[in-house]
Amino acid sequence: MPRIKAVNHVAVVVEDMEKSLAFWRDALGMELRGLRDVPAEKSQVAFLPLSGAEVELVMPTSGDSGIAKYLAKRGAGMHHLCLEVDDIDGMLAQLKSKGVRLINEEPRIAVDGKKYAFIHPEAAGGVLVELYQV
Ligand code: CO
């Protein structure tokens, strides 16, 4: 049986990275480990690690990106919760067998080689859930 192992990250969509860092880094005092552009997603992502998990701040860098459309439609705020799984193929098969609606039927491969897939928020009480196999 595939097993959920941990919360990997929580992603927050932001309009203004500097303003967001003024809160998360400067006011809360969380460590900023990295700030990088993700050209494939037309976005900039800040990583703030916290005891094995991390908060990710995502800002669109182009008006036609998926994140920009999300921001225009729903505004800034929580975007998704990412759960680490030991066997993403097994988990996707298990979810399909239970009729859970998926956004990605097959795992996708991130630039760093990790496999990931999104579960449709309709299946998770309005929460967009990402599965990650490290
Ligand atoms: Co994510």
Side-chain angles (χ1 to χ4, degrees):
M1 277 271 278
R3 197 171 66 86
I4 298 294
K5 295 166 68 182
V7 170
N8 186 281
H9 62 268
V10 169
V12 176
V13 180
V14 307
E15 226 158 337
D16 181 325
M17 188 59 82
E18 278 315 308
K19 274 190 190 161
S20 294
L21 287 174
F23 171 70
W24 292 94
R25 179 192 57 199
D26 305 335
L28 283 181
M30 289 178 70
E31 176 202 346
L32 173 64
R33 192 185 58 194
L35 183 62
R36 68 165 183 254
D37 283 307
V38 185
E41 304 285 346
K42 295 177 185 169
S43 62
Q44 185 184 52
V45 185
F47 301 92
L48 300 109
L50 189 69
S51 69
E54 59 188 12
V55 172
E56 291 183 6
L57 307 178
V58 186
M59 183 187 75
T61 51
S62 156
D64 63 350
S65 64
I67 283 291
K69 285 175 194 146
Y70 179 94
L71 189 60
K73 196 173 161 194
R74 310 195 46 184
M78 262 286 296
H79 186 257
H80 65 265
L81 168 68
C82 179
L83 301 174
E84 196 179 318
V85 60
D86 59 358
D87 171 13
I88 194 167
D89 297 286
M91 182 57 80
L92 290 175
Q94 174 174 304
L95 293 172
K96 278 184 227 175
S97 78
K98 292 181 185 296
V100 171
R101 185 169 170 196
L102 303 173
I103 291 176
N104 306 117
E105 298 273 330
E106 301 297 330
R108 305 185 71 181
I109 312 286
V111 275
D112 56 6
K114 289 177 190 139
K115 287 172 145 186
Y116 69 96
F118 284 94
I119 300 170
H120 200 283
E122 187 186 82
V127 180
L128 177 59
V129 177
E130 179 180 24
L131 297 173
Y132 227 23
Q133 183 181 331
V134 178

